[in-house]
Amino acid sequence: MASLKQHKAIGEDLWKARTDKINAELFTLTYGALVVQLIQDYEDYNAVNTQLEKMGYNIGCRIIEDFLARSGIGRCSDFREVGEVVAKVGFKAFLNITPTVSHSPPVASAPALSYFTLTLDENPLAEFVELPEEALEGGLWFSNVLCGVLRGALEMIQMQVEVDFLSDVLRGDEATEIRVKLVKYLEEEVPAGDD
C-alpha cells in the first residue's frame, strides 16, 4: 500500500506530465452546453441526471485503462485505499483537483457497508454555472457525470458501487459531496470463447 503522500505525488506527477490538456474555460463551457442540450432534449431533469450518469459510466469504463497505465498503481489493499487513490491520484490526474476524502467506520464483518465521501472544494464542471430555480426544484444534479465516471471506472476493476451526490454548492449547499458506496466485489469472468 502506497502512503498518502506517495498517492498525492503520483497524482501531481500525472497532471504535470499530461500533454493533452484543454483550456479549463473551454471544458467548462462545453460541458455546460451539453447539459443544456440534454435539458432541451429530455425536458425532464431526472432523465437528464440518468443520461449524464450513463455518459459518465461510459467515460469511466474507458478512462480507467489510461489511469492504470499512466499511474502504475497496482491493486488497492482495501476500499479505504481505493478512496485515497480516487481522490489524490484520479481526480488530480484528470481534473487537477484533490477532493477531501472521508471514510465510513470500518466494519470487518460487512465490507459491503464500506463507503467514502469525496468533498470537492472546487468543481471544474460547475465554474460559471448558476442553476435556475426550475432546475433546482426539478432535481438536476449538474455534475452527475462524475458519479457515472466513478461507477464505470470502479466496475472495470471489479467493484460494484453506488455513487450519488449528497450535496452540491450549485443547489445552495455548503459543500459538494459525492458518496461512493461499495455494493460488492465482482468476480472476474472469462469472456465466452477465451477459456
Side-chain angles (χ1 to χ4, degrees), residues 5-49:
K5 286 186 179 184
Q6 286 174 320
H7 286 148
K8 193 169 186 165
I10 291 169
E12 191 70 39
D13 291 345
L14 286 173
W15 175 255
K16 288 178 183 175
R18 190 167 206 90
T19 57
D20 51 347
K21 297 176 188 157
I22 67 166
N23 179 287
E25 286 83 14
L26 175 64
F27 175 68
T28 302
L29 295 173
T30 302
Y31 180 76
L34 169 76
V35 174
V36 168
Q37 187 62 52
L38 287 172
I39 291 169
Q40 291 171 353
D41 289 349
Y42 288 94
E43 299 177 356
D44 173 40
Y45 293 112
N46 288 324
V48 172
N49 289 338

Side-chain angles (χ1 to χ4, degrees), residues 20-160:
D20 51 347
K21 297 176 188 157
I22 67 166
N23 179 287
E25 286 83 14
L26 175 64
F27 175 68
T28 302
L29 295 173
T30 302
Y31 180 76
L34 169 76
V35 174
V36 168
Q37 187 62 52
L38 287 172
I39 291 169
Q40 291 171 353
D41 289 349
Y42 288 94
E43 299 177 356
D44 173 40
Y45 293 112
N46 288 324
V48 172
N49 289 338
T50 300
Q51 288 305 310
L52 288 170
E53 203 276 343
K54 283 181 183 178
M55 289 176 178
Y57 177 83
N58 289 329
I59 292 168
C61 288
R62 288 163 180 75
I63 207 169
I64 187 68
E65 290 181 27
D66 180 52
F67 173 77
L68 292 173
R70 290 179 186 258
S71 70
I73 291 178
R75 186 174 293 272
C76 293
S77 60
D78 57 16
F79 198 63
R80 180 180 203 83
E81 186 180 4
V82 170
E84 296 296 329
V85 170
V86 165
K88 293 179 174 56
V89 185
F91 271 85
K92 183 66 177 181
F94 292 105
L95 293 174
N96 195 26
I97 61 170
T98 306
T100 304
V101 61
S102 55
H103 301 277
S104 63
V107 182
S109 61
L113 296 177
S114 297
Y115 66 85
F116 58 86
T117 303
L118 300 169
T119 304
L120 285 69
D121 295 326
E122 55 185 310
N123 179 354
L125 297 178
E127 298 277 327
F128 318 116
V129 175
E130 188 173 314
L131 294 179
E133 196 63 38
E134 177 186 324
L136 294 173
E137 291 170 4
L140 177 67
W141 290 100
F142 185 81
S143 302
N144 210 40
V145 72
L146 295 175
C147 294
V149 169
L150 290 167
R151 187 173 70 88
L154 293 175
E155 191 170 297
M156 292 298 105
I157 55 171
Q158 308 311 117
M159 286 177 240
Q160 183 180 350

